mmCIF file of all heavy atoms in Angstrom:
data_model
loop_
_atom_site.group_PDB
_atom_site.id
_atom_site.type_symbol
_atom_site.label_atom_id
_atom_site.label_comp_id
_atom_site.label_asym_id
_atom_site.label_seq_id
_atom_site.Cartn_x
_atom_site.Cartn_y
_atom_site.Cartn_z
ATOM 1 N N SER B 16 24.792 -9.366 -0.962
ATOM 2 C CA SER B 16 24.845 -8.091 -0.525
ATOM 3 C C SER B 16 23.495 -7.426 -0.528
ATOM 4 O O SER B 16 22.651 -7.747 -1.285
ATOM 5 C CB SER B 16 25.818 -7.212 -1.405
ATOM 6 O OG SER B 16 27.119 -7.709 -1.237
ATOM 7 N N ASN B 17 23.270 -6.274 0.145
ATOM 8 C CA ASN B 17 22.067 -5.459 0.168
ATOM 9 C C ASN B 17 22.078 -4.700 -1.116
ATOM 10 O O ASN B 17 23.073 -3.962 -1.525
ATOM 11 C CB ASN B 17 22.047 -4.465 1.360
ATOM 12 C CG ASN B 17 22.204 -5.300 2.710
ATOM 13 O OD1 ASN B 17 21.430 -6.281 2.915
ATOM 14 N ND2 ASN B 17 22.943 -4.730 3.577
ATOM 15 N N THR B 18 20.906 -4.702 -1.883
ATOM 16 C CA THR B 18 20.939 -4.139 -3.193
ATOM 17 C C THR B 18 19.614 -3.279 -3.251
ATOM 18 O O THR B 18 18.629 -3.505 -2.620
ATOM 19 C CB THR B 18 20.890 -5.151 -4.340
ATOM 20 O OG1 THR B 18 19.824 -5.960 -4.133
ATOM 21 C CG2 THR B 18 22.265 -5.914 -4.369
ATOM 22 N N THR B 19 19.674 -2.405 -4.190
ATOM 23 C CA THR B 19 18.417 -1.566 -4.399
ATOM 24 C C THR B 19 18.426 -0.956 -5.682
ATOM 25 O O THR B 19 19.443 -1.010 -6.396
ATOM 26 C CB THR B 19 18.205 -0.464 -3.388
ATOM 27 O OG1 THR B 19 16.927 0.203 -3.426
ATOM 28 C CG2 THR B 19 19.358 0.671 -3.377
ATOM 29 N N THR B 20 17.433 -0.257 -6.214
ATOM 30 C CA THR B 20 17.334 0.600 -7.362
ATOM 31 C C THR B 20 17.008 2.028 -6.862
ATOM 32 O O THR B 20 16.502 2.341 -5.810
ATOM 33 C CB THR B 20 16.218 0.117 -8.302
ATOM 34 O OG1 THR B 20 14.980 0.222 -7.762
ATOM 35 C CG2 THR B 20 16.507 -1.360 -8.640
ATOM 36 N N ALA B 21 17.154 3.006 -7.856
ATOM 37 C CA ALA B 21 16.799 4.301 -7.418
ATOM 38 C C ALA B 21 15.289 4.393 -7.278
ATOM 39 O O ALA B 21 14.882 5.066 -6.417
ATOM 40 C CB ALA B 21 17.275 5.223 -8.597
ATOM 41 N N ARG B 22 14.485 3.648 -8.103
ATOM 42 C CA ARG B 22 13.169 3.663 -7.944
ATOM 43 C C ARG B 22 12.768 3.189 -6.581
ATOM 44 O O ARG B 22 11.764 3.816 -5.959
ATOM 45 C CB ARG B 22 12.496 2.801 -8.956
ATOM 46 C CG ARG B 22 10.941 2.789 -9.091
ATOM 47 C CD ARG B 22 10.349 1.627 -9.870
ATOM 48 N NE ARG B 22 10.764 1.705 -11.232
ATOM 49 C CZ ARG B 22 10.032 2.299 -12.290
ATOM 50 N NH1 ARG B 22 8.967 2.830 -11.948
ATOM 51 N NH2 ARG B 22 10.492 2.284 -13.422
ATOM 52 N N ASP B 23 13.175 2.118 -6.070
ATOM 53 C CA ASP B 23 12.845 1.526 -4.814
ATOM 54 C C ASP B 23 13.183 2.459 -3.590
ATOM 55 O O ASP B 23 12.511 2.717 -2.687
ATOM 56 C CB ASP B 23 13.382 0.173 -4.584
ATOM 57 C CG ASP B 23 12.723 -0.892 -5.316
ATOM 58 O OD1 ASP B 23 11.675 -0.621 -6.025
ATOM 59 O OD2 ASP B 23 12.883 -2.038 -5.001
ATOM 60 N N LEU B 24 14.421 3.097 -3.786
ATOM 61 C CA LEU B 24 14.704 4.057 -2.710
ATOM 62 C C LEU B 24 13.739 5.283 -2.806
ATOM 63 O O LEU B 24 13.492 5.837 -1.715
ATOM 64 C CB LEU B 24 16.228 4.562 -2.978
ATOM 65 C CG LEU B 24 17.241 3.785 -2.417
ATOM 66 C CD1 LEU B 24 18.745 4.333 -2.710
ATOM 67 C CD2 LEU B 24 17.103 3.558 -0.782
ATOM 68 N N GLY B 25 13.402 5.621 -4.036
ATOM 69 C CA GLY B 25 12.367 6.818 -4.094
ATOM 70 C C GLY B 25 11.095 6.358 -3.388
ATOM 71 O O GLY B 25 10.464 7.177 -2.752
ATOM 72 N N VAL B 26 10.649 5.091 -3.712
ATOM 73 C CA VAL B 26 9.337 4.726 -3.175
ATOM 74 C C VAL B 26 9.544 4.733 -1.589
ATOM 75 O O VAL B 26 8.637 5.178 -0.808
ATOM 76 C CB VAL B 26 8.980 3.372 -3.585
ATOM 77 C CG1 VAL B 26 7.887 2.714 -2.775
ATOM 78 C CG2 VAL B 26 8.707 3.334 -5.124
ATOM 79 N N LEU B 27 10.669 4.287 -1.013
ATOM 80 C CA LEU B 27 10.940 4.242 0.347
ATOM 81 C C LEU B 27 10.838 5.699 0.941
ATOM 82 O O LEU B 27 10.227 5.918 2.035
ATOM 83 C CB LEU B 27 12.136 3.564 0.633
ATOM 84 C CG LEU B 27 12.817 3.487 2.122
ATOM 85 C CD1 LEU B 27 11.735 2.784 2.999
ATOM 86 C CD2 LEU B 27 14.013 2.893 2.189
ATOM 87 N N LEU B 28 11.547 6.598 0.298
ATOM 88 C CA LEU B 28 11.682 7.938 0.893
ATOM 89 C C LEU B 28 10.135 8.629 0.799
ATOM 90 O O LEU B 28 9.885 9.407 1.644
ATOM 91 C CB LEU B 28 12.740 8.874 0.036
ATOM 92 C CG LEU B 28 14.086 8.845 0.656
ATOM 93 C CD1 LEU B 28 14.127 9.729 1.941
ATOM 94 C CD2 LEU B 28 14.569 7.566 0.978
ATOM 95 N N ALA B 29 9.467 8.351 -0.164
ATOM 96 C CA ALA B 29 8.124 8.942 -0.251
ATOM 97 C C ALA B 29 7.305 8.385 0.713
ATOM 98 O O ALA B 29 6.463 9.131 1.306
ATOM 99 C CB ALA B 29 7.512 8.566 -1.796
ATOM 100 N N ALA B 30 7.415 7.144 1.199
ATOM 101 C CA ALA B 30 6.628 6.493 2.215
ATOM 102 C C ALA B 30 7.069 7.169 3.533
ATOM 103 O O ALA B 30 6.191 7.391 4.357
ATOM 104 C CB ALA B 30 6.877 5.007 2.300
ATOM 105 N N VAL B 31 8.264 7.558 3.773
ATOM 106 C CA VAL B 31 8.736 8.188 4.946
ATOM 107 C C VAL B 31 8.078 9.644 5.048
ATOM 108 O O VAL B 31 7.635 9.986 6.120
ATOM 109 C CB VAL B 31 10.230 8.270 4.993
ATOM 110 C CG1 VAL B 31 10.600 9.171 6.184
ATOM 111 C CG2 VAL B 31 10.970 6.921 5.222
ATOM 112 N N ALA B 32 8.021 10.165 3.767
ATOM 113 C CA ALA B 32 7.632 11.707 3.878
ATOM 114 C C ALA B 32 6.052 11.719 3.914
ATOM 115 O O ALA B 32 5.458 12.607 4.620
ATOM 116 C CB ALA B 32 8.029 12.342 2.689
ATOM 117 N N THR B 33 5.367 10.822 3.166
ATOM 118 C CA THR B 33 3.939 11.067 3.004
ATOM 119 C C THR B 33 2.983 9.731 3.094
ATOM 120 O O THR B 33 1.882 9.856 2.995
ATOM 121 C CB THR B 33 3.557 11.682 1.621
ATOM 122 O OG1 THR B 33 3.991 10.772 0.573
ATOM 123 C CG2 THR B 33 4.387 13.003 1.322
ATOM 124 N N GLY B 34 3.679 8.714 3.357
ATOM 125 C CA GLY B 34 2.917 7.498 3.585
ATOM 126 C C GLY B 34 1.894 7.314 4.497
ATOM 127 O O GLY B 34 2.047 8.031 5.590
ATOM 128 N N ASP B 35 0.909 6.469 4.286
ATOM 129 C CA ASP B 35 -0.144 6.244 5.400
ATOM 130 C C ASP B 35 0.155 5.022 6.234
ATOM 131 O O ASP B 35 -0.884 4.786 7.081
ATOM 132 C CB ASP B 35 -1.521 6.223 4.667
ATOM 133 C CG ASP B 35 -1.479 4.945 3.738
ATOM 134 O OD1 ASP B 35 -0.582 4.239 3.766
ATOM 135 O OD2 ASP B 35 -2.544 4.863 2.959
ATOM 136 N N ARG B 36 1.253 4.534 6.256
ATOM 137 C CA ARG B 36 1.534 3.391 7.224
ATOM 138 C C ARG B 36 1.877 3.846 8.528
ATOM 139 O O ARG B 36 1.793 3.115 9.521
ATOM 140 C CB ARG B 36 2.640 2.523 6.555
ATOM 141 C CG ARG B 36 2.376 1.647 5.431
ATOM 142 C CD ARG B 36 1.472 0.549 5.720
ATOM 143 N NE ARG B 36 1.968 -0.352 6.748
ATOM 144 C CZ ARG B 36 2.898 -1.329 6.579
ATOM 145 N NH1 ARG B 36 3.270 -1.563 5.299
ATOM 146 N NH2 ARG B 36 3.338 -2.008 7.536
ATOM 147 N N LEU B 37 2.391 5.145 8.630
ATOM 148 C CA LEU B 37 2.791 5.778 9.940
ATOM 149 C C LEU B 37 1.998 6.869 10.273
ATOM 150 O O LEU B 37 1.482 7.556 9.475
ATOM 151 C CB LEU B 37 4.193 6.028 9.819
ATOM 152 C CG LEU B 37 5.118 4.790 9.800
ATOM 153 C CD1 LEU B 37 6.518 5.259 9.205
ATOM 154 C CD2 LEU B 37 5.419 4.233 11.185
ATOM 155 N N SER B 38 1.913 7.304 11.507
ATOM 156 C CA SER B 38 1.371 8.442 11.990
ATOM 157 C C SER B 38 2.208 9.744 11.555
ATOM 158 O O SER B 38 3.421 9.659 11.308
ATOM 159 C CB SER B 38 1.345 8.475 13.521
ATOM 160 O OG SER B 38 2.608 8.654 14.109
ATOM 161 N N PRO B 39 1.543 10.884 11.417
ATOM 162 C CA PRO B 39 2.223 12.127 11.120
ATOM 163 C C PRO B 39 3.420 12.224 12.127
ATOM 164 O O PRO B 39 4.456 12.858 11.711
ATOM 165 C CB PRO B 39 1.194 13.141 11.316
ATOM 166 C CG PRO B 39 -0.105 12.588 11.014
ATOM 167 C CD PRO B 39 0.123 11.115 11.446
ATOM 168 N N GLU B 40 3.319 12.009 13.316
ATOM 169 C CA GLU B 40 4.379 12.159 14.340
ATOM 170 C C GLU B 40 5.537 11.396 14.042
ATOM 171 O O GLU B 40 6.598 11.818 14.129
ATOM 172 C CB GLU B 40 3.773 11.883 15.749
ATOM 173 C CG GLU B 40 2.714 12.826 16.243
ATOM 174 C CD GLU B 40 1.332 12.563 15.668
ATOM 175 O OE1 GLU B 40 1.176 11.517 15.135
ATOM 176 O OE2 GLU B 40 0.448 13.515 15.782
ATOM 177 N N SER B 41 5.330 10.158 13.643
ATOM 178 C CA SER B 41 6.489 9.381 13.273
ATOM 179 C C SER B 41 7.127 9.698 11.941
ATOM 180 O O SER B 41 8.430 9.691 11.913
ATOM 181 C CB SER B 41 5.881 7.828 13.167
ATOM 182 O OG SER B 41 5.675 7.290 14.445
ATOM 183 N N ARG B 42 6.405 10.097 11.020
ATOM 184 C CA ARG B 42 6.973 10.505 9.766
ATOM 185 C C ARG B 42 7.778 11.864 9.992
ATOM 186 O O ARG B 42 8.830 12.037 9.626
ATOM 187 C CB ARG B 42 5.832 10.911 8.727
ATOM 188 C CG ARG B 42 5.166 9.723 8.236
ATOM 189 C CD ARG B 42 4.365 9.927 6.924
ATOM 190 N NE ARG B 42 3.498 11.022 7.037
ATOM 191 C CZ ARG B 42 2.244 10.905 7.378
ATOM 192 N NH1 ARG B 42 1.828 9.794 7.593
ATOM 193 N NH2 ARG B 42 1.396 11.942 7.273
ATOM 194 N N ALA B 43 7.312 12.688 10.844
ATOM 195 C CA ALA B 43 7.988 13.959 11.285
ATOM 196 C C ALA B 43 9.257 13.619 11.929
ATOM 197 O O ALA B 43 10.303 14.225 11.692
ATOM 198 C CB ALA B 43 7.170 14.887 12.130
ATOM 199 N N SER B 44 9.317 12.620 12.879
ATOM 200 C CA SER B 44 10.472 12.192 13.543
ATOM 201 C C SER B 44 11.519 11.686 12.700
ATOM 202 O O SER B 44 12.662 12.046 12.800
ATOM 203 C CB SER B 44 10.045 11.134 14.583
ATOM 204 O OG SER B 44 11.177 10.770 15.308
ATOM 205 N N MET B 45 11.137 10.803 11.658
ATOM 206 C CA MET B 45 12.106 10.215 10.751
ATOM 207 C C MET B 45 12.785 11.248 9.869
ATOM 208 O O MET B 45 13.928 11.358 9.544
ATOM 209 C CB MET B 45 11.489 9.126 9.984
ATOM 210 C CG MET B 45 11.231 7.818 10.766
ATOM 211 S SD MET B 45 10.703 6.512 9.662
ATOM 212 C CE MET B 45 9.011 6.959 9.250
ATOM 213 N N LEU B 46 11.865 12.231 9.417
ATOM 214 C CA LEU B 46 12.385 13.268 8.512
ATOM 215 C C LEU B 46 13.339 14.129 9.368
ATOM 216 O O LEU B 46 14.375 14.658 8.847
ATOM 217 C CB LEU B 46 11.262 14.120 7.959
ATOM 218 C CG LEU B 46 10.415 13.506 6.890
ATOM 219 C CD1 LEU B 46 9.128 14.194 6.545
ATOM 220 C CD2 LEU B 46 11.228 13.094 5.626
ATOM 221 N N GLY B 47 13.013 14.286 10.583
ATOM 222 C CA GLY B 47 14.021 15.200 11.429
ATOM 223 C C GLY B 47 15.271 14.514 11.645
ATOM 224 O O GLY B 47 16.320 15.153 11.554
ATOM 225 N N ILE B 48 15.241 13.205 11.653
ATOM 226 C CA ILE B 48 16.589 12.473 11.823
ATOM 227 C C ILE B 48 17.363 12.618 10.691
ATOM 228 O O ILE B 48 18.589 13.004 10.509
ATOM 229 C CB ILE B 48 16.318 11.076 12.221
ATOM 230 C CG1 ILE B 48 15.760 10.931 13.616
ATOM 231 C CG2 ILE B 48 17.689 10.319 12.079
ATOM 232 C CD1 ILE B 48 15.290 9.539 13.953
#
């Protein structure tokens, strides 16, 4: 099964919000969804 921890989900959400792997436009688009 797919598994996770609260820490890893937190790291993932922080990457969506502020991470440098994506452009600001893509981060804003994902947060909008």
Side-chain angles (χ1 to χ4, degrees):
S16 294
N17 302 316
T18 58
T19 189
T20 65
R22 184 196 299 270
D23 277 8
L24 277 178
V26 169
L27 175 59
L28 265 290
V31 169
T33 64
D35 58 6
R36 290 286 304 274
L37 288 160
S38 67
E40 293 76 16
S41 287
R42 293 199 304 271
S44 178
M45 286 190 290
L46 287 171
I48 294 171

